[in-house]
Amino acid sequence: MNAPATFDSARPAREKLVVIGNGMAGCRAVEEILERDRERFDVVIFGAEPRVNYNRIMLSPVLAGEKTFDEIVLNTAEWYTENAIELIAGDPVDHIDRERKTVVSRSGRVEPYDKLLIATGSDPFIIPVPGRDLPGVVTFRDLDDVDKMLAAADLGGNAVVIGGGLLGLEAAHGLSLRGMNVTVIHLMPTLMERQLDEAAGWLLKQELERRGQTILTGADTEEIVGKDGHVDAVRLKDGREIPADIVVMAVGIRPATRLAKTGGLECERGILVDDHMVTSDPDVVAVGECVQHRGQCYGLVAPLWEMCRALADHLTERKLDGSGGYQGSVTSTKLKVSGIDVFSAGDFSGGGEGEDIVMRDAARGVYKRLVLKENRIVGAVLYGDTADGNWYFDLLRKEEDISDMREGLIFGQAFALGGGALADSNAAVAALSDDAEICGCNGVSKGKVVDTILAGACSLDAVRSQCKASASCGSCTGLVESLLALTLGDEVQAGASTMCKCTSFGHDDVRRLILEKELKAIPQVMQELHWTTPDGCASCRPALNYYLLCAWPGEYEDDQKSRFVNERLHANIQKDGTYSVVPRMWGGITNPRELRAIADVVEKFDARMVKVTGGQRLDIFGIRKEDLPAVWADLNAAGMVSGHAYGKSLRTVKTCVGSEWCRFGTQDSTGLGVKLEQMSWGSWMPHKFKMAVSGCPRNCAEATIKDFGVVCVDSGYELHIGGNGGIKVRATDLLCKVATEEEALETCAAFIQLYREDAHYLERTAPWLERKGLEWIKAQMFDGLDAVRQLAARFRHSQKFMQDDPWAKRAAGERRDLHSHLATVVPAGMEYA
Amino acid sequence: MMEATWLDLGPITQIEPGMAATLPVIGGDEIAVFHTMRGEFYALVNKCPHRQGPLSQGIVHGDSVTCPLHNWRISLKSGQVLGDDEGCVPTIPLKIDCGRIYLLRESVVGQKAA
Ligand SMILES: Cc1cc2nc3c(=O)[nH]c(=O)nc-3n(C[C@H](O)[C@H](O)[C@H](O)COP(=O)(O)OP(=O)(O)OC[C@H]3O[C@@H](n4cnc5c(N)ncnc54)[C@H](O)[C@@H]3O)c2cc1C
Ligand code: HEM
Ligand code: SF4
Ligand code: FES
């Protein structure tokens, strides 16, 4: 070194540095200090753990049996001796006395300091449920915790991990490799929701389940149940009980600030420090997870290294990297579960002003998403292929302008930097040989696609239907579009419109593929069909929710957040934000009890108006969302159920009085209307669906402007389809004539099911009929011998799961969150205003 | 002090991702607190700049919400109306601490003066 000779001998005495916390940050800080000035301090380190410093993040591989403790030690006993550091292990500091400048340990040892370094890390957060103190409930923070888990694993049995974040999943992975039967309980619907988006979280869940773990998302722990003084099970709020021989609590961490707080240092979430890691006392510094810097607390190691450098620069007054102190860190995370590659960095809440680039490769189980803002990467989530994680992270941290390589960015470093030719996607495709495979799903080569185009397929749809390229998962859509452009230039025809801007597929394709590929969840459809957005938009989410509901009755769980407000709240939103409530009146018939209940509701909840609707029932206006469950409870009590006036579903069945009363009546139109309504209420449809039954051709119930209308005649029933009122009135077409009421009901069920299975979401029967043609509909229903019966049977099967009054469930307390406020704010002083 | 500056709304688990909850303010505008599918929280005045639609009841996607009344799209981050329409919804500073939601008190109660 070319430093001038030191004046060590002239120094009266070395300063005394006391470190609290023999962990990753504490020891690293000491190393950085020694590197700058070996002579400045006498160092004493207190550690609560009875051992030397080790690499905490490697506890996961130790648990999984991939590493031993010796392999993860960072500072050996020799290191402490060689550097004349006194390690007081297994004796935590209990108290800081800043007045006297001493610390006091649990065993009573008093140690004076000139400079004090606090590096106490974090404490695991324990959720305050009954049973949390039972033997067998452990956290995952240090080696002792790992030893406890290993001891439990030796006995085998059931492990429950509470918390599906990074730590929880690593614990679950280790315990599962050690032979335990593992269940992960996660409060949120998405695993690792702080690092992953819905799409990546879903893929991760699938993979862990494939490996034999049970993953319960949206699961809230109510109690840890003990038996004979040891943990025995975990009970969830929904009543489920999961047997447990060990429970690992991994729900999060909290900066360990107790010492600092009782010592009178300023703390918020963590110990407050400035850019030189100095606390509110100039002689006390702090680093690691226990600090809060510029409002930020960290739970990862990367920021510690930077903090320790800034700290050492300050304490030794020597700047090795010449930085102006600690500036805060951008972090990235990786899940350490062997065989599963997950990477996440930055801010990828996406949408809004940010711009997403999404790439999905269902065959390889890959999902990649970059979030760009002003030509810079601001966030990244990678699942299944994380090779480029570090490169993206680097671009992100350096805020590099990526406009030059934008086209190829999502394909990774090799591709994006591969040069000019590749950056233009058309040029890249032109460069492919004729036998290069374009569509992996259906094995279609470039030559074949080009031939198909030359033979007259001028649109994406035509290529899909004629040679199957891009017809399965859609991941090669871009390539096929390039080939169309290269082959035809301007003559490419826009195909049938796609469902929305998130996908290259139209509604029909999506519906077909949901069945073919047995897709049963929204994130799964988005992954398998290569959605270009992370979680869809307000037009595709409700459509997918309906398609899945229709395809998998009884299996698919309705996704409330993909529903329009009216269907979410089972009432119609009005322009002032209040709701209207329409109870069902079967076939338009009511009675004094129902009328009284309605009248009572109107008065009790101050409804501003009651109106007789065009659908022959009563609409109560001006109900507030928080009153809805109570309104429904009152209506339920009088025997009324939801009228679905708010839904893409069966609305009303309008009837006339028919042969019961009318002198012209030919059949019991009222009775048939009631039966039709009872058969079909509650079913979700592509759009709203209205019916009517008139007792004779005078047609008082206006059956010929309904989606399904019945006109009774002497010899039976004329069944009409595809009518509606509204802006563009359309009269129905005659579908057929039947002799009996049973046949009328059966045909109606079949027609509804055909509409449910074929129409696009938000397409009413009238435009659907005009698009497909009356003849097509007749062919579907009457050409096959048994088609009507089969369609009707599918409808009835699906109805088994649908005819469950949503109002009754809500009135009984289901989804209370949707109807209540978080709180009400009354500003101070308002009371007197 | 945290208690004075920040208003504690309780645990984050009250709002499912992809949903929003409401906070009426006596003498001010109701506030909507959103939880995105990605796990982030935002607070905005619960009033669409178009015709006062309750944004809390819209469909949340990415970090925007689509108004339930006429489908305007609003950025949860900036309150800015996205796409071809124009306008802006006031946002309320929000922070999450130890699993609880906090709103900046002065922005909640000071709305009227602003
Ligand atoms: C299982 C596991 C896996 C992880 N994986 C990753 C990962 O993959 N990537 C990543 O970036 N981060 C990971 N982390 C986080 C990382 O380990 C921490 O960010 C890092 O250890 C923080 O360092 P620290 O020095 O602040 O705290 P610690 O390393 O926890 O050190 C604090 C030390 O202080 C001691 N102490 C506390 N109070 C006192 C007292 N009063 N007296 C004396 N001693 C005291 C504690 O016993 C502890 O030994 C993981 C953590 C765990 C538990
Ligand atoms: C958001 C928009 C709409 C709302 C909230 C709404 C609401 C309603 C309600 C509550 C009823 C009473 C029906 C019942 O008793 O169940 C009704 C009836 C009716 N609506 Fe709408 N409607 C809307 C849009 C439309 C549109 C777009 C059309 C035209 C396609 C339409 C055509 C009709 C007709 C024709 C009736 C009378 C039905 C009958 O006589 O049976 N409505 N509407
Ligand atoms: S449709 Fe015929 S049966 Fe029905 S009320 Fe009118 S006239 Fe009478
Ligand atoms: S009020 Fe929100 S879009 Fe009209």
Side-chain angles (χ1 to χ4, degrees), chain A residues 615-638:
Chain A
Q616 295 186 337
R617 40 197 197 166
L618 293 173
D619 196 342
I620 310 165
F621 284 88
I623 303 291
R624 291 172 305 160
K625 80 171 178 189
E626 54 273 31
D627 288 337
L628 287 171
V631 167
W632 295 332
D634 288 0
L635 296 174
N636 278 160

Side-chain angles (χ1 to χ4, degrees), chain A residues 64-75:
Chain A
E66 291 155 358
K67 286 257 189 292
T68 63
F69 178 70
D70 288 341
E71 288 174 293
I72 70 165
V73 166
L74 288 174
N75 302 87

Side-chain angles (χ1 to χ4, degrees), chain A residues 125 187-190 193-198 220 254 268-269 346-354 369 373 501 534-538 541-542 559-565 568-569 573-577 579 625 815 817-818 820-828 830, chain B residues 2 7 9 11-27 30 33 35-42 46 51-54 56-64 66 68-69 71 73 75-78 80 82 95-98 101 108-109 112:
Chain A
F125 185 66
L187 190 56
M188 296 293 164
T190 305
E193 78 285 346
R194 281 144 59 92
Q195 289 88 19
L196 302 182
D197 54 14
E198 190 193 25
D220 201 353
R254 255 184 189 167
E268 279 178 8
R269 213 160 11 135
D347 172 9
F348 44 86
S349 49
E353 312 99 277
R369 170 168 168 218
K373 206 166 160 183
K501 62 178 184 356
D535 50 16
C537 67
R541 285 197 79 99
D559 182 26
Q560 288 298 306
K561 55 188 182 291
S562 300
R563 287 215 174 249
F564 292 123
V565 53
R568 214 186 262 173
L569 287 184
I573 194 166
Q574 303 299 327
K575 68 177 196 181
D576 63 353
Y579 293 81
K625 80 171 178 189
R815 296 309 303 254
D817 60 310
L818 296 179
S820 52
H821 295 299
L822 273 177
T824 299
V825 180
V826 184
M830 268 302 291
Chain B
M2 174 183 293
L7 202 63
L9 298 189
I12 56 175
T13 51
Q14 299 170 99
I15 314 174
E16 185 192 323
M19 294 286 203
T22 45
L23 178 75
V25 179
I26 308 292
E30 180 165 288
V33 181
H35 188 177
T36 68
M37 228 90 76
R38 149 78 182 79
E40 297 206 325
F41 287 82
Y42 298 103
N46 192 18
R51 289 200 211 147
Q52 285 75 53
S56 59
Q57 308 289 25
I59 289 186
V60 177
H61 44 100
D63 57 7
S64 50
T66 297
L69 292 196
N71 294 330
R73 229 157 34 83
S75 159
L76 296 174
K77 274 191 168 165
S78 62
Q80 209 68 42
L82 304 168
K95 71 169 187 179
I96 301 298
D97 193 9
C98 292
I101 308 167
V108 175
V109 298
K112 228 173 140 200

Side-chain angles (χ1 to χ4, degrees), chain A residues 206-227:
Chain A
Q206 294 287 301
E207 175 58 22
L208 294 174
E209 283 172 344
R210 204 188 55 74
R211 292 176 171 210
Q213 297 181 22
T214 306
I215 311 281
L216 304 178
T217 49
D220 201 353
T221 306
E222 181 170 78
E223 181 179 350
I224 299 174
V225 186
K227 194 173 142 196

